[in-house]
Amino acid sequence: MWSGNPLFPEAASTVASRVDALYIFLVALTLFFVALIAGLVIFFGIKYRRRQPDEIGARIHGGLILEIAWSVIPLIISLGIFAWSADLFFAMSRPPDEAMNIYVVGKQWMWKVQHIDGQREINQLHIPVGRKVKLTMTSEDVIHDFFIPEFRVKADVIPGRYTTIWFEATKPGTYRLFCAEYCGNKHSGMIGEVIVQEPNDFQAWMHGGLSQGSLAAAGEQLFSDLACNTCHRSDTQGRGPALTGVYGSTVALMSGVNATADEAYIRESILTPAAKVVNGFQPIMPTFQGLVTEEQLLQLIEYVKSLKAPGQTAAASHEGAAAPGAAAPAH
Ligand code: CUA
């Protein structure tokens, strides 16, 4: 219906029509009140105009019912908009557990994409239709903003942090990808395309070309190249904590508080090791700031994610996913 209209791009993801419905409602509501108020101003202006030069207006005392009405009705409308948009916000900001993860690194002035299986692309993002996709994004330099108008998703991409968006494309095709945050003099050239393919075509694309192996495999290589494995030994005898099963777990720190070992925690532990020292260990790890790129950090994170404890499945860290009998007696 909106196809081809630059002001209202095609709706090509599962949330697009929900975003549009809210947006159209807000526009319609605004137009209604603009028309009502402007219409009444003009109508009253004419109806109650001064008819003789010496005419004096009648004194008006407040109308209680009117005042209650114009307070309560907007309150109900505003709270309705709040509930509606909060519901949509939560749906858009909570990636489903089964979403396929893809990493995005922004830099002046390009988008670099890394798939878990090892495919990399620049200013292009290939995804399968009908599959939930989560993007984990960061920036090498300044703040960028990843925006796919046809999917109605957009998020800042911030140096030193991971932000995420998720979506499910509903139609194969090629869609526009923009940077939506002014990031330097070639900001307007920081564009690309999102290529939504049928699952079979996507599989063919994924396995075509030169694959450098999975991200986790690249991370494992880096882990030994940087000699991380001399301290982070798997047998718990190392000078650093063993990393098996760490991802997604709760870690007790020297400071007495607990941390959740998510992507941001692993990133910080590599770049600023002293910030969160695991209880029982010394703050002796050197920083790797400047030694590893954002893309290498993602490889290391994928490697740590791949180190699962025996019996730990990919979903084991999510509540409700524990298999029956998983809590076997220890003795
Ligand atoms: Cu990157 Cu604008």
Side-chain angles (χ1 to χ4, degrees), residues 100-119:
M100 176 177 128
N101 194 20
I102 299 174
Y103 290 104
V104 174
V105 176
K107 66 172 277 194
Q108 288 169 319
W109 288 273
M110 65 175 77
W111 295 108
K112 298 188 284 188
V113 174
Q114 292 195 71
H115 294 262
I116 302 291
D117 289 347
Q119 285 284 14

Side-chain angles (χ1 to χ4, degrees), residues 132-179:
K132 295 177 174 66
V133 174
K134 170 184 159 191
L135 303 183
T136 302
M137 310 186 291
T138 190
S139 166
E140 277 181 26
D141 36 44
V142 300
I143 300 177
H144 303 278
D145 189 302
F146 191 94
F147 179 31
I148 310 172
E150 279 87 353
F151 293 179
R152 312 289 191 269
V153 293
K154 179 166 152 182
D156 274 4
V157 176
I158 301 166
R161 260 207 238 175
Y162 292 121
T163 52
T164 58
I165 51 175
W166 80 272
F167 46 78
E168 179 182 337
T170 51
K171 298 174 196 171
T174 300
Y175 304 102
R176 292 165 297 173
L177 161 62
F178 288 119
C179 177

Side-chain angles (χ1 to χ4, degrees), residues 244-278:
T244 304
V246 158
Y247 179 75
S249 69
T250 302
V251 182
L253 302 179
M254 204 164 69
S255 58
V257 296
N258 289 334
T260 301
D262 56 8
E263 286 95 344
Y265 169 85
I266 298 170
R267 182 182 194 283
E268 182 185 53
S269 298
I270 297 168
L271 297 180
T272 322
K276 294 196 175 81
V277 177
V278 175

Side-chain angles (χ1 to χ4, degrees), residues 308-327:
K308 297 191 177 74
Q312 189 185 11
T313 62
S317 58
H318 303 301
E319 63 267 21

Side-chain angles (χ1 to χ4, degrees), residues 37-285:
I37 293 168
L40 285 178
V41 165
I42 294 166
F43 173 71
F44 288 150
I46 293 169
K47 184 170 181 204
Y48 298 110
R49 71 187 184 278
R50 180 183 278 188
R51 288 157 205 267
Q52 288 108 32
D54 58 346
E55 197 173 352
I56 292 171
R59 199 173 262 277
I60 294 182
H61 299 279
L64 185 64
I65 291 176
L66 202 56
E67 287 188 25
I68 289 174
W70 76 47
S71 303
V72 170
I73 291 172
L75 179 72
I76 292 170
I77 294 174
S78 311
L79 288 178
I81 294 169
F82 170 73
W84 185 355
S85 48
D87 179 52
L88 183 53
F89 174 81
F90 283 121
M92 292 177 76
S93 57
R94 287 183 178 152
D97 288 345
E98 71 274 22
M100 176 177 128
N101 194 20
I102 299 174
Y103 290 104
V104 174
V105 176
K107 66 172 277 194
Q108 288 169 319
W109 288 273
M110 65 175 77
W111 295 108
K112 298 188 284 188
V113 174
Q114 292 195 71
H115 294 262
I116 302 291
D117 289 347
Q119 285 284 14
R120 290 152 171 261
E121 37 188 344
I122 287 180
N123 290 344
Q124 281 196 329
L125 170 63
H126 283 75
I127 55 165
V129 70
R131 176 102 186 260
K132 295 177 174 66
V133 174
K134 170 184 159 191
L135 303 183
T136 302
M137 310 186 291
T138 190
S139 166
E140 277 181 26
D141 36 44
V142 300
I143 300 177
H144 303 278
D145 189 302
F146 191 94
F147 179 31
I148 310 172
E150 279 87 353
F151 293 179
R152 312 289 191 269
V153 293
K154 179 166 152 182
D156 274 4
V157 176
I158 301 166
R161 260 207 238 175
Y162 292 121
T163 52
T164 58
I165 51 175
W166 80 272
F167 46 78
E168 179 182 337
T170 51
K171 298 174 196 171
T174 300
Y175 304 102
R176 292 165 297 173
L177 161 62
F178 288 119
C179 177
E181 177 84 42
Y182 181 73
C183 55
N185 58 12
K186 294 206 183 71
H187 155 72
S188 63
M190 194 168 165
I191 52 177
E193 52 191 15
V194 179
I195 296 147
V196 179
Q197 297 177 302
E198 295 291 353
N200 288 339
D201 295 340
F202 177 74
Q203 283 307 322
W205 175 83
M206 187 61 110
H207 296 113
L210 289 172
S211 180
Q212 301 102 328
S214 71
L215 276 191
E220 183 174 14
Q221 181 63 45
L222 197 55
F223 196 76
S224 76
D225 289 352
L226 294 168
C228 311
N229 52 1
T230 57
C231 292
H232 293 285
R233 291 163 46 172
S234 54
D235 59 6
T236 71
Q237 301 301 309
R239 287 179 291 169
L243 300 180
T244 304
V246 158
Y247 179 75
S249 69
T250 302
V251 182
L253 302 179
M254 204 164 69
S255 58
V257 296
N258 289 334
T260 301
D262 56 8
E263 286 95 344
Y265 169 85
I266 298 170
R267 182 182 194 283
E268 182 185 53
S269 298
I270 297 168
L271 297 180
T272 322
K276 294 196 175 81
V277 177
V278 175
N279 199 20
F281 292 89
Q282 294 301 311
I284 52 170
M285 176 171 158

